[in-house]
Amino acid sequence: MERGPEAFAGAAFALFGAGLLLWTGVRVRAGAPVADGVSRPVAAVTALLAGVVFLATGCWLLAAL
């Protein structure tokens, strides 16, 4: 009963983290801004770190099943 919400949360975190990493990579490679009004290196590093944290959290939740 308790594994359903944990699996959903793990999948949601992992998908969001992977999507954020993919989107950030595409934006950086194309030379497009990652965030509006922020310097490119700061925005890219922040988005990459957030993507890694979300992906790691999702994998951790899914591994705990």
Side-chain angles (χ1 to χ4, degrees), residues 2-3 5 16-18 22 24 27 38 40-41 44 48 51 53-54 56 58 63:
E2 294 175 359
R3 291 180 181 223
F16 179 74
L22 179 67
T24 304
R27 299 291 288 184
V38 182
R40 280 189 188 158
L48 288 173
V53 168
F54 275 105

Side-chain angles (χ1 to χ4, degrees), residues 4 9 11-13 16 21 23 26 28-30 35 37 40 44 49 52-53 55 57-60 62 64-65:
F13 273 97
F16 179 74
L21 287 173
W23 180 82
V26 169
V28 167
R29 188 173 181 130
R40 280 189 188 158
L49 286 175
V52 168
V53 168
L55 185 60
T57 302
C59 291
W60 176 70
L62 291 173
L65 289 177

